Each structure stands twice: as structure tokens, then as C-alpha cells.
Amino acid sequence: MKCDSLLADCVDTGLILLDRAGRVRVWNRWIAQRAARPAAGAFALTLAEAFGAHIDPRLALVVREALDFGWSARLSHALHPMPLPLFQPGGDRSERMLQSIDVTPVDTDGQRHCLLQVRDVTETVRREILLKQQARQLRQDLQRLSRAQAELQRSEMRFRELARQAPAGLFEADSEARCIFLNERCEQLVGHKLADIAGKPWLELLPPGEEARVRDSWLLAVRSATRFAEEFRYPHPDGRPLWMRAEAGPLRDEHGHISGFIGTLQDVTEFHERASRNEFRANHDSLTALLNRDRFERHLRAAISGAREVTDRLALLFIDLDDFKQINDTHGHQAGDTVLKVVASRVRRVVRGEDRVARYGGDEFAVLLVDAGDDLTLASIVAKIAHAVALPINLGHCHVRVGCSIGVAVYPDDGADPHSLLIRADQRMYGAKRGEL
Amino acid sequence: MRAFTALELDALTEAFNLSLGEATAAFSAIVREEIELSVPVVEFVARDELARRLQSGQAGGVEDRLCRINQHFRTGDGFATDALLLFPEQGSLEIVRRMLGEDTSAEHITELEQDALAEIGNIIINSCMSSLADLFGSEIIGSLPSVQSSSVARLLEDKSPDSLILVARIGMSMSAHNLSGFVLFLMDVPSIDHFMAQVSRLFGLPEAPAERS
């Protein structure tokens, strides 16, 4: 027995051996330390005497079964957390030690005994609680992550479908204006596949005249992180000259820096053409396509204010057709219109491109020569105009001739403002008609 | 070896059900909840046949793991049996966690959960054994339970291929959980003969002539 107890004191497990009558025979040091009762004090006591009444009733039951029937039993910590009042050595005895107990029948000396092996599972419990917390945390993280991923997928799908169905061209470009994304519509508009133009700035697709202007605007938008909006001419690869409108807003990376732009591209060619037709109509005479009176006078004012700074001479010519009413009366209005159109185009051809020609009203025309030269040059131009007008005009069924009277006023010689120049030219034109020239 | 008669198997079933009543009471006391344990069927099956049946009866396929709680029992006069309680791992884990009031669904069984399973198996096996001990009228010494989990295919690998197995199907239900498992008693041939003789004697049924093959 001496040897037995020596061995029993060496193991890191609690050992209690009970005899047939349920009285303590072995009470090892491990138990003694945790039960606060030395082996000598426990010997020959029953469990109830040794521990008081604070024993899990199931432990008492299985000890009885081991002694009476020879059965073994395990009291797991999970279902019986603290069957015996044992406490951590050195602890304050306020809380029982977490334990798990194996109960086995042992036959020695022809006698049935019962062995209790008590394990301290405090550390195991702590570890498993931690493990479970980690598992729970991990599961929550995973759920969060998969929710976020699903949301991301949904929004990406939403965006793709929107981009596919959108009637406008959609594009994304980095801050160097290199295309990263084009929807199908955008590829149609620019006439290039993304794969073909990716990696080079889209600005390079523009005609040289437009590229510099739009690039400045793009760089400004990148620098100031503002919205980019430009209209520009765009020669489509299939040859159509188009007008495009690009609008884009800045995209920021995680550091808040501008990483690129995302926006729309629209074909505004029709809009542009309509606008320029409207503008033309507002400024031009519908029959002859010459400037109208209003527009002409604006050019005149602009030319005078421009001329004040240099020493250019401007000449204002008033041309009135002679006997135009007679052509109208004899050959009809259609013939009259033809005459006006022919005269307009002849005058237009006599003067230089930068000179302005207008139909001033009825059968009156006005010409602004922006660099009139000396009197001699001016006189030769006037003569050329008169000559050109006087050539026969083909009306289809016959030819007619129409003469004209021309009045000239020169800036600054004849006046320093548009009004006086106009009056002067008008007077001289009437003078010419009356044969004063 | 003769087969059991239907009457004898009925009598065994009744005996198991009686002793499981005690296990039920023990459980309900531990978890403070109503638990039902029942043995609807008892039969004798060869090892390979049982393995085949376990495999084909699996809802989740062969991949499902079974949890096996094993105790060895012997009497002083040479009768020996391995008692095995088999439960599907997933279902038994759920029950254990319910008993412990835990909501975790960690994939693997922890050490403490394994211990709790050992205790549950221990209670069921001991109570089944008590009915056999009554039959034998002698003491049957039992070992501590050990828990293993393995695939169905490997579950009975360590048992002799020609052993005949007494199989008691066990139903366990607790709240919304229903779990069906088996208690197996694996016996060698002398043990079976011994066992049959005891059964015939105890239930007062006429002892059939032994047919040895």
C-alpha cells in the first residue's frame, strides 16, 4: 500500500480508491491539495463524509454501480461540470475546479474496489471557449464578406446591364485619358473596339485642331478634380464627320486622388448641323445666301473697331440694280429671283474671301472691303463689280442684262462710324444712279 | 447455430426497452428536458451484412461519418462482448450541443463534446447491459467508454469478420431532434451460444437443438 500511494502521489490526476464499503483507501496528493484534506484525514471516510453533502448525485450513483455491478462510467465535464468540491491549489476556494471523472471497478485482493480518476479540465474549457468564439467570429466575418460580395456582384451586374442597354456611349478613362471601359454604344460611336484603342489616350483620336483644345480642358478637369464637358469634331473611321459631346465626372482612388473619369459620349452631329443651319438662316438672306443687313452691319462695326488699332482702310460699297423692277414686271418674279442670285454670286466672286457681301434689301447689295488699298485699287474693284453685274444673265428662255449703280464710302476718310459711312455710301449710290459719277 | 425465434427477439426487445427506461430517466435528470429512448427492433446480423446495411441506409451517402462509442464487457465465466453505440456524427453533435445549450456549429467535435458523447453512450450502453446482466444472472464487468468517429466503411474494420452481432436499433428524440442509432453487441461464437442458452432459459422458451455449421 505504501508503494501504491507513492505512485499515486506522482501522477497528475486525482485518484481516489474506494473499497467495497465505499470507504477511502487511496487519496492521492493531487486530491489532497485540491480538497484541502490530507490523505490521513480522508482515510476510511465515505465520499459524503470526506466532501460533505456537496457531491453530484450521479457520481454517488455510478460509484454504487461500479461497486455493485462492475460497471464503468464517465462523468463528462459538459454534463457534470463540477461533481466534487475541489478547488485550484492556492486559489481562493470560491469556485470549484472544472473536472471530468472516470469511475471504474477494480478488483484487488479478491475484493471489488472502485477507482475515481479526476482530471482538471479548466485549461481545456478555456481553450474550447476561445476556439468557439473564434469560430463564431470567423463565421460572422464570412457571412459579412459573402453578403458584401453578393451585393458587389449585384451592383456590378446592374451596372453592366445598364451600360449594355444605355442609349448613350459610356466610357471610363484613367487620368492619362486612356480608355479602360467602353460600352457597346460607345464602341459604335467612336468606331473602335476597346481592345484596339486601350492603352492610348482617346484624345489622340481627335483631329489635330481639336486635340489640343480638348486636351487642355481634360488636364484642367484632372487638376481641379472637376467635371469635364467638351464638344468636338470627330471624324468617324467610316468617313462621316461627326460632332461629339463628352461629359465625365472624376473618380477617386482609396487615397482620394483622381484615378480617372467616367462619363458619357453622345453624337451631337445633328444638333450641331441644325444649330449651324439656324445660325446661317439668322444671318443670311435666304434667296442669295449672302449676309443679311443685320449681320453685315455687325461685321461693319467689328471691322471699324478692329481698324482703329491698325491703319487699314475699309471701303463700304452700296450697289443698286438699275431697272430691276422692269425685269420683274416683264419676266415675272422667278426671273427677278434668278437675276438677284446671279448678281450675288458674281459680286461674291469678284471680291476676296475676307470681304463681306450682303443683300441689303430688295435689289440692293452692300460690300465691305476690309483692306481697300488705295483709291486706284478701289476704283478697279468697283469697275470689276460693275462689269460682272452687267454681263448677260441667262433666264432659260432668254438673256437679260442689268446694270447697277455703286456708291463708295471709305473709312476713315468719309466717316469714323458705321452710320456716317452707310449714309455716305447711300448718297453716293443715288448720286451715281442720277449720273453724277 | 440456431436462429432466434420471433418470440425470443420480442422478449429481448422488451427487456432492452425496460432498461432503457432508466437511461431515459438519467438523461432527463441531467439535461432537465424530456428525452425519449426506444428500441423498436432487435436482430442478429453478420458483420459484413451490417456494414452493408449501414452504408445503404445513409441519407447523406458514404461520406457521412458515424460516431462510435465502444465499451468492452466480460463475465467471470468467459462471456465477452464489445458493446458499440453508433450514431450519425452530425446528428449526435447536434444533440450534444443542444444538451450543452450551445449554438455553435463548429465542424469538428471538440474534446469536451467528445467526452459528453462518451457519457451519453455510456449511459445507454450500461442500461442495455443491465438487461443482459439480468438475463445472465451474473455480473458483467464493463470498461470505460471510448469514442471514435469514422466513415461507415471503416467502422467495423477492427472487429472480427465472422462475428455475429446482436443489433438493437435505438431511437432517441429530444425537442425537435430525432436521432436514430444502433447499439451493437459483438460476440464470439462461444459467447453467442452462451447468450442463446440464457435467453431460452430465462424466457422459458423451449431450447431448440443447436445447429452448428
Side-chain angles (χ1 to χ4, degrees):
Chain A
M1 212 62 203
K2 188 96 183 138
C3 186
D4 284 353
S5 65
L6 187 68
L7 270 179
D9 285 346
C10 291
V11 295
D12 188 26
T13 307
L15 295 178
I16 300 174
L17 188 71
L18 303 173
D19 65 14
R20 189 83 184 81
R23 298 196 172 278
V24 172
R25 292 290 147 197
V26 174
W27 182 271
N28 78 344
R29 186 177 294 155
W30 195 95
I31 291 286
Q33 285 168 347
R34 288 161 179 78
R37 183 187 285 276
F43 194 77
L45 297 181
T46 63
L47 281 182
E49 288 164 353
F51 286 110
H54 314 293
I55 299 177
D56 190 308
R58 179 154 171 82
L59 181 63
L61 183 77
V62 297
V63 165
R64 219 51 260 172
E65 284 174 349
L67 289 172
D68 295 347
F69 309 135
W71 299 351
S72 301
R74 165 160 301 168
L75 267 66
S76 66
H77 164 73
L79 301 179
H80 310 276
M82 299 161 267
L84 288 174
L86 297 172
F87 304 89
Q88 292 290 357
D92 59 1
R93 298 180 62 87
S94 64
E95 214 169 318
R96 286 193 185 190
M97 189 188 80
L98 308 181
Q99 47 199 288
S100 135
I101 303 184
D102 283 343
V103 178
T104 42
V106 181
D107 291 350
T108 51
D109 313 328
Q111 264 242 320
R112 170 65 47 79
H113 288 75
C114 172
L115 178 67
L116 278 67
Q117 301 176 68
V118 186
R119 280 181 296 134
D120 177 357
V121 295
T122 310
E123 190 51 33
T124 313
V125 170
R126 199 188 57 77
R127 199 172 55 232
E128 290 196 6
I129 288 172
L130 199 68
L131 266 174
K132 281 177 181 168
Q133 275 171 352
Q134 285 170 345
R136 200 175 300 131
Q137 184 64 40
L138 205 65
R139 202 165 51 246
Q140 283 168 355
D141 288 353
L142 271 173
Q143 279 168 353
R144 243 199 321 276
L145 204 65
S146 77
R147 266 202 304 277
Q149 209 156 18
E151 179 50 41
L152 196 67
Q153 260 169 7
R154 252 204 308 285
S155 82
E156 192 155 315
M157 206 169 67
R158 199 180 300 138
F159 170 72
R160 269 185 206 295
E161 196 52 26
L162 269 175
R164 204 177 60 75
Q165 294 186 13
L170 299 177
F171 69 91
E172 186 190 341
D174 65 14
S175 53
E176 315 289 313
R178 287 184 295 247
C179 287
I180 295 165
F181 168 80
L182 299 179
N183 71 346
E184 282 171 45
R185 177 70 187 134
C186 202
E187 289 183 334
Q188 287 168 4
L189 279 177
V190 298
H192 294 285
K193 291 279 178 200
L194 174 63
D196 302 332
I197 58 167
K200 87 174 181 185
W202 64 272
L203 297 164
E204 289 179 14
L205 298 171
L206 304 188
E210 297 282 67
E211 187 187 341
R213 177 177 65 85
V214 180
R215 184 188 300 280
D216 287 347
S217 165
W218 178 270
L219 292 177
L220 181 68
V222 172
R223 266 201 311 278
S224 57
T226 49
R227 210 170 160 68
F228 167 83
E230 270 302 331
E231 282 185 20
F232 44 84
R233 281 181 295 113
Y234 180 75
H236 194 275
D238 68 8
R240 286 177 293 143
L242 300 179
W243 275 91
M244 296 283 196
R245 176 171 181 78
E247 285 183 64
L251 290 173
R252 290 172 190 278
D253 63 18
E254 64 269 32
H255 310 296
H257 300 139
I258 302 299
S259 62
F261 281 79
I262 186 160
T264 59
L265 185 72
Q266 276 175 288
D267 180 352
V268 291
T269 310
E270 201 178 316
F271 177 76
H272 254 262
E273 281 172 353
R274 199 181 311 139
S276 61
R277 271 201 303 277
N278 285 342
E279 189 185 308
F280 188 87
R281 222 175 282 149
N283 294 327
H284 292 77
D285 168 49
S286 61
L287 180 68
T288 61
L290 293 179
L291 293 174
N292 59 21
R293 180 177 181 153
D294 203 40
R295 186 69 193 159
F296 180 82
E297 287 182 4
R298 259 187 284 159
H299 278 296
L300 178 62
R301 280 195 295 277
I304 288 172
S305 55
R308 284 202 177 119
E309 291 165 19
V310 287
T311 51
D312 285 343
R313 271 158 59 95
L314 301 174
L316 174 63
L317 276 59
F318 259 19
I319 305 166
D320 189 82
L321 301 186
D322 300 335
D323 304 321
F324 178 70
K325 188 172 179 303
Q326 202 180 325
I327 293 170
N328 250 350
D329 292 348
T330 313
H331 301 282
H333 285 288
Q334 203 118 41
D337 285 353
T338 306
V339 169
L340 289 172
K341 278 198 264 189
V342 170
V343 169
S345 93
R346 285 180 185 173
V347 174
R348 182 72 262 177
R349 251 174 298 162
V350 168
V351 300
R352 294 157 304 182
E354 63 266 33
D355 297 332
R356 307 288 180 179
V357 183
R359 183 174 172 211
Y360 222 67
D363 57 348
E364 266 187 357
F365 296 87
V367 176
L368 175 65
L369 303 174
V370 290
D371 186 7
D374 56 19
D375 286 348
L376 208 60
T377 315
L378 186 55
S380 95
I381 295 171
V382 169
K384 272 192 217 169
I385 291 173
H387 176 72
V389 172
L391 290 171
I393 294 168
N394 187 351
L395 290 181
H397 60 285
C398 68
H399 281 85
V400 293
R401 279 177 186 271
V402 62
C404 68
S405 305
I406 301 177
V408 180
V410 175
Y411 169 92
D413 311 19
D414 296 318
D417 61 286
H419 184 66
S420 49
L421 285 173
L422 285 165
I423 289 177
R424 201 52 184 271
D426 197 42
Q427 285 171 350
R428 287 196 175 143
M429 188 268 289
Y430 277 103
K433 206 174 260 303
R434 286 194 299 271
E436 286 174 6
L437 197 72
Chain B
M1 185 184 71
R2 74 170 176 90
F4 271 82
T5 65
L7 281 177
E8 285 167 334
L9 286 176
D10 274 357
L12 263 179
T13 308
E14 206 178 305
F16 278 135
N17 270 320
L18 272 176
S19 47
L20 272 178
E22 282 170 42
T24 307
F27 271 134
S28 300
I30 291 171
V31 298
R32 297 181 188 85
E33 193 172 340
E34 197 73 30
I35 287 183
E36 273 296 316
L37 279 170
S38 60
V39 178
V41 178
V42 173
E43 56 190 332
F44 272 91
V45 179
R47 188 195 79 158
D48 291 346
E49 165 65 16
L50 179 67
R52 202 162 41 245
R53 229 191 270 182
L54 286 173
Q55 275 179 28
S56 65
Q58 279 196 311
V62 190
E63 298 308 311
D64 272 9
R65 294 173 74 78
L66 285 179
C67 190
R68 166 181 129 169
I69 299 132
N70 195 3
Q71 279 184 264
H72 186 76
F73 288 89
R74 63 183 164 77
T75 63
D77 55 357
F79 173 79
T81 178
D82 261 337
L84 269 60
L85 175 66
L86 306 181
F87 275 135
E89 188 178 65
Q90 203 48 48
S92 49
L93 262 182
E94 265 173 43
I95 292 255
V96 167
R97 285 176 182 156
R98 247 204 75 75
M99 283 182 172
L100 304 181
E102 286 180 10
D103 64 336
T104 54
S105 60
E107 201 175 327
H108 294 293
I109 187 163
T110 70
E111 197 178 324
L112 293 176
E113 286 165 349
Q114 184 160 318
D115 249 18
L117 263 178
E119 181 170 356
I120 291 166
N122 185 220
I123 292 171
I124 293 176
I125 290 172
N126 275 355
S127 70
C128 286
M129 250 4 253
S130 76
S131 42
L132 292 188
D134 279 349
L135 283 183
F136 284 75
S138 67
E139 198 177 63
I140 305 183
I141 309 291
S143 73
L144 278 172
S146 66
V147 179
Q148 272 176 292
S149 116
S150 71
S151 64
V152 172
R154 318 203 52 170
L155 194 71
L156 299 173
E157 257 182 3
D158 58 338
K159 306 297 176 195
S160 162
D162 46 44
S163 62
L164 197 62
I165 304 174
L166 173 63
V167 179
R169 189 186 281 270
I170 294 258
M172 179 167 171
S173 65
M174 168 186 193
S175 301
H177 292 270
N178 279 307
L179 196 57
S180 166
F182 296 93
V183 176
L184 315 178
F185 297 98
L186 290 83
M187 299 173 231
D188 54 15
V189 174
S191 294
I192 288 172
D193 288 341
H194 187 83
F195 179 73
M196 289 193 168
Q198 296 291 348
V199 169
S200 306
R201 186 183 54 75
L202 201 87
F203 294 138
L205 302 166
E207 198 162 349
E211 289 170 26
R212 307 249 170 168
S213 56

